[in-house]
Amino acid sequence: MIGIYYILVSSTQLLIGMTNLVSLSQTAFCGIGAYFTATFITINKIPFIPSLLLVFIFTGFIAFVVSFPLAKLKEDYFILATIGFQTIVYTIFRNSKNITNGHDGISGIIEYGLFFDNKISYLALVLIVSIAVYFIIYKLINSPFGRSLQILREDELLLISTGRNPVKYKEQVFIISGALAGIAGFLLASYVSYINPDNFSLDESIFILCAVIIGGLGNARGSLIGAIFVVILQEAIRFLQIDAPVKEIIYGIILLAIIYYRPRGLAGSYSLN
Amino acid sequence: MLQFLINGVVDGVVLSVITLGFSLVYFTSRIFHIAYAFLFVLGGYTLYSFYTHLAIPLLPSIGLTIIVCAFFSWFIDKFFYQNFEKKGATHNILLIASLGIFIIGINSLAYFFGPGQVILSKDLSESILIAGQIITHNKITQLTTCMFTIILVLVLLYKTNIGLMIRAFRDNAKLMGILGYNTKNVRGRVFILSGILIAIPACLLSFDKGVDPYLGMPVFLNAVVAMIIGGTGDFKAPIIGAFILSLSQAIVIYFLDAKWEPLVTFVILIIFLLFLPSGIFKQTEREI
């Protein structure tokens, strides 16, 4: 789960950290990837590598379509639009009985056994994909494209003055971020074998945002710390048999403490600007 | 169809009060006050505690609930937002802080009262027939109380000194401070008024339908969408936006199904954000 959360947190961190666009729609893309896996890939028994590519392309395409209108928006309007998109997707998941089986969800999704023989192999699979995502993001951040994104984050006007269109950069990051979230959805669906709309609600997007802030922005390390932190905290709370509301209260307190005392997060390079 | 429109009008009036409360904070301090959703739920549970648990009569319970919500609203600004601003917090950080307060608040209520819905009034509301349409006494109370509240608030904002200061604070808080006005005082009053405005519909709606911890966010999002539709030009604009949204939702429920209402709400939002981001009543600003 750390691996899956790492990919999801990384995809969100890429968008928030590099473009200052706070998004609450990443679990919508994760859900799109998961439902695509459950409804299309499972039924057609597509092998692993083509499945991964298909999910990446499909979710990336949805992100491409959504990015056109959203990337032009700023600050509160962008956040609202992502909440809107998240709610629209969730409503479709919940109410489209024919496609997504509505509130009942989809069970019996292709298990890791189809690709690999056992849990250890699946763990290796998730690890490989996570490492691949780490290197993709690392290369992206350290490329000329990444340096332009850093300028965009620090001073959008400066980027415009160099003759570049910031909206285009935001669109590209949105697409990559959405596609990566789709990969997380693919892995999640394969691992848990059952998905329902509540796995991809606005609450989950808020939770992922908290993980990003706690881990820190601006580097791949922050995503990893954020993912490890939330999964370990989840497991610790489950082990101690603490009630769900108390768990959320703990998250909320940690979130407030982090942004007050350490706005850069546990391992970030800079704070949310 | 008429029945749905009547419900839409009543819901519109109630939503107007909620939207007005959020707009007061947003227009003046530019804080995306997500914790407002928590205040709505707090209002419902506070009324439940006073009226059901402590058996205090209804009107005094409502009065006490209004005081509690107003206090918490002021408290959130004084001890959270202002402290974050002193540390140089940016807009996004204040949003995250508000989100944190919302998470803590909602889950505290869920912990103490349980995650399920609580009902305040076990009796079925009586209803009357007007032009062949059924209207419950609760709906009539909501309509009249909220209309009265809106009129009172508009008189306060446009005909009193306090209102003048709030509007000045909205227009240019810095200049107001330079001219020697106590902007902290004005800001405190804005948050108190916002708390009062969320408490009233919270009491009315929870008395009618009950309350659960997770009711706040959908109500809050509706208020935000209504504000966007109305525009940021004036305090009257969100009221119009709330009516437009509620009537649109009533039409959706009539022609489609209630389960598609959130989808249509946010499609409307995205259309407005893209094509009319300033809303219907956009603010015209003088460039100096």
Side-chain angles (χ1 to χ4, degrees):
Chain A
M1 286 305 287
I2 289 176
I4 294 169
Y5 269 111
Y6 168 72
I7 296 167
L8 195 47
V9 170
S10 293
S11 69
T12 311
Q13 207 249 89
L14 188 66
L15 188 60
I16 299 175
M18 303 311 286
T19 62
N20 269 334
L21 293 172
V22 177
S23 169
L24 284 168
S25 64
Q26 290 306 100
T27 49
F29 289 110
C30 182
I32 290 169
Y35 272 101
F36 183 68
T37 303
T39 54
F40 182 78
I41 288 173
T42 302
I43 289 165
N44 294 294
K45 293 188 171 42
I46 299 171
F48 170 64
I49 302 279
S51 302
L52 198 64
L53 285 170
L54 265 174
V55 169
F56 188 81
I57 291 166
F58 181 75
T59 330
F61 176 72
I62 304 282
F64 169 75
V65 169
V66 173
S67 70
F68 274 125
L70 260 57
K72 295 183 183 61
L73 304 171
K74 290 183 181 181
E75 291 185 353
D76 294 339
Y77 285 6
F78 178 81
I79 297 164
L80 266 175
T82 59
I83 293 174
F85 175 68
Q86 169 71 54
T87 309
I88 288 168
V89 169
Y90 174 76
T91 309
I92 292 171
F93 286 161
R94 205 183 152 95
N95 297 322
S96 304
K97 200 86 177 143
N98 296 335
I99 304 167
T100 63
N101 207 26
H103 193 56
D104 297 328
I106 299 176
S107 58
I109 299 168
I110 184 168
E111 291 177 11
Y112 52 82
L114 194 67
F115 297 141
F116 292 83
D117 292 326
N118 52 47
K119 268 187 180 167
I120 304 293
S121 300
Y122 193 80
L123 173 63
L125 161 70
V126 172
L127 213 61
I128 290 166
V129 175
S130 303
I131 292 169
V133 167
Y134 175 89
F135 274 112
I136 290 170
I137 293 176
Y138 179 80
K139 285 289 177 192
L140 206 67
I141 290 173
N142 292 296
S143 66
F145 176 73
R147 282 190 282 280
S148 299
L149 291 181
Q150 284 172 27
I151 300 172
L152 171 65
R153 186 192 66 228
E154 298 296 334
D155 193 336
E156 194 169 316
L157 273 176
L158 182 60
L159 187 73
I160 296 169
S161 69
T162 61
R164 288 173 227 185
N165 185 352
V167 174
K168 285 278 172 241
Y169 283 93
K170 288 177 186 176
E171 281 171 5
Q172 286 164 24
V173 174
F174 194 87
I175 293 164
I176 297 168
S177 173
L180 289 175
I183 296 290
F186 165 74
L187 293 170
L188 180 71
S190 306
Y191 180 60
V192 300
S193 304
Y194 167 72
I195 53 171
N196 73 58
D198 290 335
N199 295 138
F200 313 108
S201 62
L202 181 61
D203 288 339
E204 292 300 313
S205 278
I206 292 172
F207 176 70
I208 295 300
L209 178 65
C210 293
V212 170
I213 300 298
I214 290 168
L217 299 169
N219 58 52
R221 205 175 53 233
S223 308
L224 186 60
I225 301 290
I228 290 172
F229 183 83
V230 295
V231 171
I232 287 176
L233 197 61
Q234 248 177 346
E235 294 305 317
I237 284 165
R238 196 176 299 161
F239 178 74
L240 294 168
Q241 295 181 327
I242 294 175
D243 292 338
V246 176
K247 178 188 86 175
E248 298 293 331
I249 292 168
I250 293 171
Y251 280 136
I253 292 170
I254 292 171
L255 179 68
L256 276 179
I258 292 277
I259 57 168
Y260 188 75
Y261 293 109
R262 200 180 160 87
R264 291 185 177 202
L266 295 173
S269 300
Y270 52 84
S271 63
L272 189 61
N273 192 344
Chain B
M1 175 76 171
L2 187 59
Q3 181 69 64
F4 285 88
L5 286 175
I6 290 171
N7 288 343
V9 166
V10 175
D11 292 342
V13 176
V14 175
L15 185 61
S16 299
V17 176
I18 300 171
T19 309
L20 199 50
F22 176 76
S23 305
L24 270 168
V25 171
Y26 187 74
F27 288 177
T28 53
S29 56
R30 292 288 166 201
I31 295 172
F32 201 77
H33 187 32
I34 300 176
Y36 194 66
F38 155 65
L39 292 172
F40 177 83
V41 182
L42 177 71
Y45 277 110
T46 307
L47 180 67
Y48 171 73
S49 301
F50 286 133
Y51 180 64
T52 308
H53 275 309
L54 298 175
I56 295 171
L58 186 59
L59 281 178
S61 294
I62 291 173
L64 287 167
T65 303
I66 290 172
I67 292 169
V68 167
C69 286
F71 170 74
F72 269 88
S73 181
W74 169 84
F75 180 83
I76 287 169
D77 176 49
K78 183 81 182 165
F79 290 98
F80 289 98
Y81 297 153
Q82 289 190 26
N83 273 326
F84 273 97
E85 281 172 352
K86 276 181 200 156
K87 287 201 101 188
T90 58
H91 182 79
N92 278 340
I93 289 183
L94 285 171
L95 185 147
I96 304 291
S98 196
L99 189 61
I101 297 163
F102 165 77
I103 292 170
I104 294 169
I106 290 294
N107 286 286
S108 300
L109 292 171
Y111 180 73
F112 285 114
F113 294 98
Q117 191 183 37
V118 296
I119 305 292
L120 277 75
S121 169
K122 291 190 172 58
D123 305 320
L124 279 174
S125 176
E126 289 174 21
S127 55
I128 58 171
L129 223 59
I130 297 178
Q133 312 305 319
I134 300 168
I135 304 176
T136 63
H137 284 183
N138 281 339
K139 288 281 185 199
I140 294 171
T141 310
Q142 288 167 21
L143 180 70
T144 48
T145 309
C146 289
M147 276 183 68
F148 179 70
T149 305
I150 291 169
I151 292 167
L152 211 62
V153 171
L154 289 177
V155 165
L156 178 83
L157 287 172
Y158 290 97
K159 298 288 180 195
T160 66
N161 251 0
I162 295 173
L164 183 63
M165 299 228 280
I166 290 173
R167 284 184 289 126
F169 187 71
R170 178 202 63 190
D171 290 341
N172 199 327
K174 249 185 209 158
L175 182 61
M176 201 182 170
I178 290 168
L179 292 172
Y181 290 97
N182 188 341
T183 51
K184 278 191 183 158
N185 215 357
V186 177
R187 181 168 161 152
R189 287 175 185 184
V190 165
F191 273 89
I192 288 171
L193 185 57
S194 171
I196 292 169
L197 287 175
I198 193 63
I200 294 167
C203 290
L204 292 168
L205 291 175
S206 20
F207 190 79
D208 188 19
K209 299 174 193 171
V211 64
D212 74 71
Y214 310 108
L215 206 55
M217 187 53 88
V219 169
F220 167 76
L221 291 175
N222 272 343
V224 175
V225 174
M227 186 192 75
I228 298 291
I229 292 171
T232 54
D234 194 71
F235 287 117
K236 296 190 272 295
I239 298 170
I240 309 296
F243 269 103
I244 293 172
L245 180 64
S246 290
L247 288 170
S248 307
Q249 288 173 337
I251 292 167
V252 165
I253 294 171
Y254 178 73
F255 284 108
L256 296 173
D257 196 300
K259 67 184 183 185
W260 295 110
E261 185 200 305
L263 185 141
V264 174
T265 300
F266 286 98
V267 166
I268 294 173
L269 167 71
I270 288 174
I271 291 170
F272 266 86
L273 287 176
L274 294 175
F275 300 109
L276 209 58
S278 304
I280 294 170
F281 300 98
K282 59 182 176 184
Q283 185 173 19
T284 46
E285 284 180 357
R286 184 182 299 160
E287 296 270 343
I288 300 171

